[in-house]
Amino acid sequence: MKKLILFATICSLAFSYQLCIAQESDQTLWYNKPAQKWTDALPIGNGRIGAMVFAGVENDHIQFNEETLWTGKPRNYNRKGAYKYLAEIRKLLFEGKQKEAEVLAQKEFMGLQSEAGDREAWIDDIKAGKGITGNPASVNYDDKLWKTITVPAYEGWETVGLANVDGAVWFRTTFEAPENWTGKDLVLDLNKIFDEDFTYVNGELVGNTDGADARKYKVPAKLIRPGKNTIAIQVLNYYDRGGIGGYKDTSKKIGIYPEGSTVEQGISLVKSWKYKIQDQNPPAVPQYQASYQPFGDLNLTFLHQGNVSQYKRSLDLTNATAKTTYTSNNVNYTREYFASQPNQAVVIHLTANKKGSISFNAALSSLHQNSTVKSLDNNTISLAVQVKDGALKGESRLTAIIKKGSVKVANNKIIVSKADEVTLYLTAGTNFINAQNISGNPALANINAINSLKGKTYDNVKSNHIKEYKTYYNTFNVDFGNSNNEKLPTDERLKKFATSNDAAFAALYMQYGRYLLISSSRPGTQPANLQGIWNDLLTPPWGSKYTTNINLEMNYWPTEILNLPGLNEPLFNKIKGLSITGTETAKEYYNARGWVLHHNTDIWNGTAPINASNHGIWVTGAAWLSHHLWEHYQFTRDRKFLEQEAYPLMKQAALFFDDFLVKDPKMGWLISTPSNSPENGGLVAGPTMDHQLIRSLFKHSIEAAKILNVDADFRKNLEAKVSQIAPNQIGKYGQLQEWLEDKDDTTNKHRHVSHLWGVYPGDDITWGSNEKTMNAAKQSLIYRGDEATGWSLAWKINFWARFKDGDHAMKLIKMLLKPADNGAGSYVNLFDAHPPFQIDGNFGGAAGIAEMIVQSHQGYIDILPAIPTAIPYGNVSGLMARGGFEVNLSWKEGKLTDLNILSKVGGKCKVSYLNKIIEFDTRAGESYKLNKDFKF
Ligand code: FUC
């Protein structure tokens, strides 16, 4: 607040523009150049509609999403009767035959994929020349009118101009054969082509390969002519990246050379080739689960002339509004952008300090091949899209409201001339209603939004947006002091973070995490997926779906501790949906009661195993999600929630394991098999993580049943079983064993650190209850090392906080908050880089910093358990602790100066600081203040 007032004062005193920038609020991301890449652009979102603002001066690109536009359709993912193979898979694992178990499971135990298109029929059509005239393989084919493309492109033709293309594409080029090649057989080295090729030299087929193998074709001497020779390649691509890929290591060239020599001695084919798209409708590729889709692009084209100065773009987290300002021809222009939840629209407001200065065209487009733009009236256009592999379709509308000047629609573009002020409303909807029902009308969300905007001024809409947003954002405040780097643009600040004293940047990162969650997970919407709500790719990494062996859960780590409990609603709703499909999966795969969730899900609530049996068969997704339900009760003590929502789902999750656990023949413990220690070590019997999760689930279900005074028999049964579950074991290297057997490899740097689940987010291992195991867990983490993917760095921040080593946690914060130059870290817009972009690290990182300030998982509130020397000063309010307590505190030079605890529901409060512990009774709604000596 202090800083904001200062900002206003300085600016009103008409100091230089630069100084105004320097005094920007400490809760703002800002830059002095437009976004070049998607990960430079600034994200806005209302939980349902998300947009990325590029903020170019002449061309402002706003790429947008609607969270329910996915591939696929409602269908049953379960393989009927898979349980018949369960006993055999278990037996093979018990006999130590992991490979055999994986092979059997791959064949009989994975979920059902979506239907395949008829590939043979399509290839027949393509070979018969559908979509192209003549025979492009022939030497004399006229390719003069064909376009050119860079060859090769290892990341796919998508990256060199064919952005949304799958299908059949012809490539042609020529080379001059030197005379001394006459009579020699040649080698045509193309290496990777995605996915299949038919390669011709001078009209003759010299090779055909389907799939990932490298290609080196022999070209018989008799085919080669002195002088000019023609190479023509027909590439068939079914999914994701396509084209002539060549080598990942681009210092290696594709080319042609005589047998016995090398490509360096021959002719390089790295150059511009001619290409022609033959067909863009390849048959569908079977998928285990669906992918989140981009929706469309809004491009605003301005006719600015003359120099542009004073450029700045920013995102103010305090009011969830992005802004672009610049001066052109002595006119100061301002654009404001936000995604309104109350009015369900992305709103863009354009102003200038000189009347009649705003002129631009606004166009909608989409990557979806099946999309159309239409004019609806003289100030509205619409974009209709239909996803290729699935049943979902969407509609979006753009309306321009102008003050003075003129507006019209021509060529399906909105054209604004000489307006004083313009407001654009961008709305979107799909036919998705829920995972079973897609009978919705995509126009409806647009119509409703536009109706809700009727009669409202821009100022109304903006103030309603800010008011609604602040009900979430303002529940927590953090100040780690000022830093010199605050006067730097955010990208510069990011570069310097690791080597400067800029604790304030870590505070900004916490608030950015909260901002991103509010923007991607409002009540009534889908939960935040791997990219939250933001995605610009038709085949995004991992389908931008929900990976449940860490990633989905990490997205929701900030909700309780960072005081955003209302944002759990989409997750809890998802859990309900998953419990329904998961009940059928439990029956079909394990002949068990209750519900089960494997390592991934999507908008259609898939719960069956996917991908490969060595990591797709991981059975504890429901146990982990149940932990979120229990934690919500722990933090809020909301008994009604426990009774009506949490316990019924937890109980069903526990029932599954009641049926599923089996006795280990060697040790006699109850173990989880078959399963996997996420993505490490293949299919196994008894990964440690599973036992921690199941033990926690059983304990919490027992406790919940006690609190609610229900299900005595069920409780007793769990009580009898919980102590039989395989315990955490310390291995020969002093490590916490990742598996039942002592077989950890201390040089293994795997990103997943699953066996430490019991340290965080669980509480199966704590300093208070089992110091030895805690030390073993710490040893395991030391062996794993610090280097990791984005989300893994974020997890490690939380681990080091729980180990009470703030400085080590800070080291990982610095690794997470460093520019992502092809590695883990943060992009220009501070999105987390796995790489690629994955939002979990943002959320895990924000939660981790909170965990350094307050912990409450050991039955008391632990104050400053892991504060690093690099954050010597702090003033924080609104951190939440289990038991329904809100913690407000300050510290200086690393020492507590003030503590104020608000009891939300009453009851005993136990607080610890350094070695002191105090306990007192509280009344709901009352605050309890302690001084630096920990006295009232
Ligand atoms: C898990 C992780 C990967 C990635 C993916 C989305 O499979 O192992 O690193 O985060 O989810």
Side-chain angles (χ1 to χ4, degrees):
M1 196 60 200
K2 187 181 71 209
K3 264 176 246 166
L4 286 177
I5 293 166
L6 185 68
F7 170 59
T9 319
I10 291 175
C11 289
S12 64
L13 287 173
F15 271 64
S16 84
Y17 186 76
Q18 283 306 323
L19 191 54
C20 290
I21 290 178
Q23 299 299 323
E24 185 62 88
S25 136
D26 55 354
Q27 295 172 57
T28 299
L29 279 66
W30 65 275
Y31 307 84
N32 52 21
K33 48 185 175 297
Q36 303 290 324
K37 295 204 285 280
W38 190 79
T39 47
D40 300 346
L42 289 168
I44 54 174
N46 65 8
R48 188 174 71 82
I49 307 173
M52 297 291 282
V53 180
F54 283 65
V57 172
E58 281 88 16
N59 185 319
D60 198 347
H61 176 196
I62 294 107
Q63 184 272 328
F64 64 97
N65 294 88
E66 201 278 356
E67 62 165 3
T68 63
L69 194 70
W70 286 63
T71 61
K73 60 182 181 193
R75 68 176 178 91
N76 194 326
Y77 289 22
N78 294 305
R79 185 181 287 261
K80 294 258 175 293
Y83 70 87
K84 288 181 205 136
Y85 300 89
L86 177 62
E88 181 62 18
I89 294 169
R90 281 182 168 157
K91 182 165 163 279
L92 288 168
L93 289 174
F94 281 140
E95 290 168 1
K97 297 178 178 158
Q98 186 191 51
K99 278 287 146 282
E100 289 87 336
E102 285 175 356
V103 169
L104 178 62
Q106 191 67 42
K107 188 156 167 267
E108 308 290 358
F109 217 69
M110 306 315 287
L112 299 181
Q113 294 185 300
S114 58
E115 232 171 272
D118 188 341
R119 199 173 274 201
E120 268 173 39
W122 183 74
I123 294 178
D124 285 349
D125 284 352
I126 293 302
K127 299 261 84 181
K130 180 190 170 203
I132 198 132
T133 42
N135 175 15
S138 67
V139 174
N140 297 326
Y141 192 82
D142 182 1
D143 62 14
K144 267 204 289 302
L145 294 178
W146 287 20
K147 291 187 189 143
T148 57
I149 190 166
T150 307
V151 172
Y154 195 81
E155 298 304 325
W157 59 33
E158 289 78 1
T159 59
V160 286
L162 300 183
N164 51 350
V165 175
D166 293 326
V169 178
W170 279 93
F171 291 80
R172 280 173 59 92
T173 194
T174 57
F175 68 93
E176 293 286 325
E179 267 174 29
N180 64 358
W181 285 17
T182 312
K184 290 184 184 165
D185 291 338
L186 304 184
V187 177
L188 175 56
D189 181 359
L190 298 164
N191 203 43
K192 299 257 181 204
I193 292 184
F194 312 109
D195 301 298
E196 183 171 6
D197 68 299
F198 293 89
T199 296
Y200 302 85
V201 173
N202 294 331
E204 294 290 325
L205 186 69
V206 296
N208 158 236
T209 310
D210 184 8
D213 291 345
R215 288 131 171 100
K216 255 185 196 168
Y217 297 136
K218 177 172 171 172
V219 186
K222 64 175 188 325
L223 275 187
I224 305 300
R225 308 164 179 189
K228 191 167 160 191
N229 290 266
T230 303
I231 302 175
I233 306 178
Q234 186 184 34
V235 177
L236 308 184
N237 168 234
Y238 301 100
Y239 187 71
D240 206 359
R241 66 178 137 164
I244 303 170
Y247 288 91
K248 188 169 189 184
D249 172 359
T250 47
S251 66
K252 288 191 180 163
K253 308 251 173 289
I254 59 167
I256 189 156
Y257 51 90
E259 263 185 354
S261 68
T262 64
V263 72
E264 287 74 27
Q265 294 162 322
I267 296 170
S268 166
L269 294 172
V270 176
K271 57 179 179 163
S272 207
W273 291 45
K274 290 278 183 122
Y275 81 93
K276 174 92 184 160
I277 298 174
Q278 180 180 356
D279 184 74
Q280 284 201 68
N281 283 303
V285 174
Q287 303 290 337
Y288 281 110
Q289 289 185 355
S291 298
Y292 182 44
Q293 295 291 282
F295 197 116
D297 299 272
L298 165 61
N299 278 289
L300 309 179
T301 309
F302 296 84
L303 303 167
H304 288 305
Q305 275 153 13
N307 281 343
V308 170
S309 59
Q310 315 257 46
Y311 176 86
K312 184 182 172 197
R313 67 186 171 104
S314 59
L315 173 65
D316 184 346
L317 307 182
T318 64
N319 59 17
T321 303
K323 199 179 197 178
T324 307
T325 50
Y326 56 90
T327 303
S328 172
N329 254 351
N330 291 325
V331 181
N332 298 341
Y333 291 91
T334 302
R335 302 176 202 154
E336 286 187 312
Y337 324 67
F338 58 84
S340 157
Q341 194 281 337
N343 292 107
Q344 288 297 311
V346 167
V347 183
I348 304 170
H349 187 61
L350 302 102
T351 52
N353 70 347
K354 192 176 147 218
K355 290 200 181 313
S357 303
I358 302 172
S359 301
F360 65 96
N361 297 344
L364 287 173
S365 60
S366 173
L367 281 181
H368 293 279
Q369 234 182 79
N370 196 344
S371 65
T372 36
V373 180
K374 277 198 319 211
S375 137
L376 291 189
D377 57 39
N378 61 5
N379 62 344
T380 307
I381 55 176
S382 72
L383 165 71
V385 301
Q386 159 78 59
V387 301
K388 194 165 84 181
D389 296 319
L392 290 175
K393 43 187 192 272
E395 184 178 315
S396 164
R397 293 187 186 184
L398 179 74
T399 299
I401 311 289
I402 61 166
K403 208 179 250 176
K404 298 283 171 57
S406 72
V407 61
K408 64 177 182 187
V409 173
N411 295 327
N412 296 331
K413 287 182 186 169
I414 296 179
I415 299 170
V416 174
S417 290
K418 298 194 170 143
D420 290 353
E421 192 181 316
V422 180
T423 309
L424 297 172
Y425 293 113
L426 177 68
T427 60
T430 74
N431 56 327
F432 179 88
I433 290 181
N434 59 43
Q436 292 79 42
N437 184 352
I438 50 162
S439 68
N441 171 7
L444 194 64
N446 297 278
I447 295 165
N448 289 342
I450 291 164
N451 283 340
S452 83
L453 287 160
K454 281 205 178 112
K456 293 204 174 72
T457 63
Y458 171 71
D459 288 341
N460 294 152
V461 176
K462 185 177 173 187
S463 64
N464 287 343
H465 155 67
I466 293 175
K467 194 165 151 222
E468 185 270 349
Y469 170 76
K470 285 193 169 185
T471 60
Y472 298 100
Y473 189 75
N474 283 4
T475 56
F476 168 80
N477 194 51
V478 54
D479 176 5
F480 289 161
N482 287 92
S483 111
N484 285 338
N485 290 7
E486 279 173 46
K487 57 181 180 291
L488 296 173
T490 304
D491 46 343
E492 297 296 322
R493 197 171 172 191
L494 177 67
K495 283 185 199 151
K496 292 215 156 91
F497 178 65
T499 52
S500 7
N501 289 326
D502 189 7
F505 200 47
L508 176 73
Y509 194 77
M510 281 179 105
Q511 290 290 33
Y512 189 48
R514 297 179 75 247
Y515 166 82
L516 291 173
L517 199 58
I518 303 169
S519 304
S520 59
S521 183
R522 291 282 221 297
T525 69
Q526 301 296 314
N529 65 44
L530 285 173
Q531 297 187 176
I533 195 177
W534 301 279
N535 166 39
D536 66 333
L537 302 170
L538 291 169
T539 47
W542 294 285
S544 191
K545 49 189 192 294
Y546 302 95
T547 308
T548 50
N549 63 15
I550 172 74
N551 318 88
L552 171 60
E553 290 87 350
M554 186 179 278
N555 284 1
Y556 285 85
W557 288 354
T559 50
E560 302 298 347
I561 191 165
L562 285 171
N563 213 344
L564 295 167
L567 303 187
N568 282 319
E569 194 265 359
L571 179 70
F572 294 167
N573 212 21
K574 184 83 182 166
I575 299 176
K576 270 180 224 149
L578 291 169
S579 76
I580 297 167
T581 40
T583 300
E584 194 179 332
T585 307
K587 225 24 321 55
E588 291 299 341
Y589 283 74
Y590 305 98
N591 203 13
R593 296 167 299 163
W595 66 286
V596 65
L597 165 67
H598 295 90
H599 97 296
N600 255 282
T601 191
D602 59 4
I603 198 164
W604 311 110
N605 289 339
T607 48
I610 70 161
N611 299 354
S613 61
N614 66 356
H615 68 272
I617 301 171
W618 170 80
V619 293
T620 31
W624 196 338
L625 289 178
S626 294
H627 189 71
H628 286 252
L629 299 167
W630 176 246
E631 288 281 68
H632 185 64
Y633 170 72
Q634 288 282 78
F635 273 90
T636 59
R637 294 287 147 92
D638 180 346
R639 192 190 149 100
K640 191 168 151 218
F641 168 79
L642 183 68
E643 185 180 354
Q644 296 180 0
E645 296 191 49
Y647 179 68
L649 292 162
M650 289 164 63
K651 180 182 170 189
Q652 291 302 316
L655 272 178
F656 169 77
F657 293 107
D658 190 19
D659 286 353
F660 174 78
L661 290 174
V662 290
K663 224 177 208 168
D664 176 48
K666 286 197 198 105
M667 308 298 286
W669 293 320
L670 288 178
I671 64 161
S672 165
T673 176
S675 195
N676 166 248
S677 190
E679 308 188 29
N680 191 17
L683 191 64
V684 295
T688 300
M689 173 196 231
D690 278 14
H691 302 141
Q692 295 173 350
L693 277 160
I694 300 165
R695 189 164 33 249
S696 300
L697 173 65
F698 279 14
K699 281 187 179 165
H700 300 152
S701 302
I702 293 166
E703 216 176 316
K706 264 191 211 155
I707 295 165
L708 299 171
N709 201 13
V710 291
D711 297 333
D713 291 344
F714 167 67
R715 214 170 76 204
K716 277 201 201 97
N717 175 41
L718 291 192
E719 273 162 359
K721 283 198 167 175
V722 77
S723 56
Q724 297 175 47
I725 297 173
N728 291 307
Q729 302 179 76
I730 301 174
K732 56 179 180 271
Y733 303 113
Q735 89 283 14
L736 177 68
Q737 286 181 205
E738 185 161 355
W739 296 278
L740 212 49
E741 307 82 14
D742 189 1
K743 60 180 183 188
D744 297 68
D745 169 0
T746 55
T747 64
N748 184 337
K749 304 290 177 208
H750 203 278
R751 59 195 180 284
H752 285 266
V753 204
S754 308
H755 48 317
L756 267 60
W757 184 90
V759 174
Y760 186 93
D763 55 10
D764 195 46
I765 308 172
T766 62
W767 285 124
S769 64
N770 26 26
E771 196 177 322
K772 256 191 174 163
T773 320
M774 194 71 168
N775 274 317
K778 190 167 152 185
Q779 187 56 54
S780 287
L781 189 59
I782 292 168
Y783 287 136
R784 265 310 204 264
D786 294 329
E787 290 295 337
T789 58
W791 61 257
S792 181
L793 292 172
W795 200 355
K796 289 173 184 176
I797 297 170
N798 287 276
F799 289 141
W800 285 111
R802 289 259 167 120
F803 291 136
K804 299 203 178 196
D805 186 339
D807 286 339
H808 203 139
M810 190 69 202
K811 184 179 173 206
L812 285 145
I813 294 173
K814 293 196 165 182
M815 292 170 75
L816 185 61
L817 273 165
K818 71 162 197 296
D821 299 322
N822 294 320
S826 300
Y827 293 106
V828 163
N829 63 4
L830 302 190
F831 269 176
D832 162 55
H834 178 290
F837 163 52
Q838 208 171 281
I839 206 159
D840 39 20
N842 286 99
F843 298 138
I849 303 171
E851 203 66 26
M852 293 155 78
I853 304 169
V854 169
Q855 295 176 13
S856 62
H857 60 290
Q858 294 198 74
Y860 55 88
I861 304 174
D862 200 351
I863 302 295
L864 301 178
I867 205 71
T869 39
I871 310 184
Y873 163 84
N875 184 4
V876 171
S877 59
L879 264 190
M880 296 305 293
R882 291 168 185 80
F885 298 106
E886 188 184 297
V887 185
N888 308 294
L889 75 168
S890 338
W891 64 95
K892 250 188 210 143
E893 289 164 21
K895 301 266 176 311
L896 182 71
T897 50
D898 268 305
L899 175 65
N900 195 323
I901 294 177
L902 168 67
S903 171
K904 295 207 145 174
V905 291
K908 274 224 167 350
C909 181
K910 211 172 167 184
V911 195
S912 162
Y913 176 58
L914 296 176
N915 293 321
K916 291 173 237 161
I917 281 212
I918 55 165
E919 198 174 331
F920 50 94
D921 286 318
T922 67
R923 276 205 299 244
E926 297 217 341
S927 286
Y928 301 84
K929 204 170 157 46
L930 289 132
N931 65 16
K932 66 177 185 349
D933 301 317
F934 219 47
K935 299 240 161 60
F936 285 107

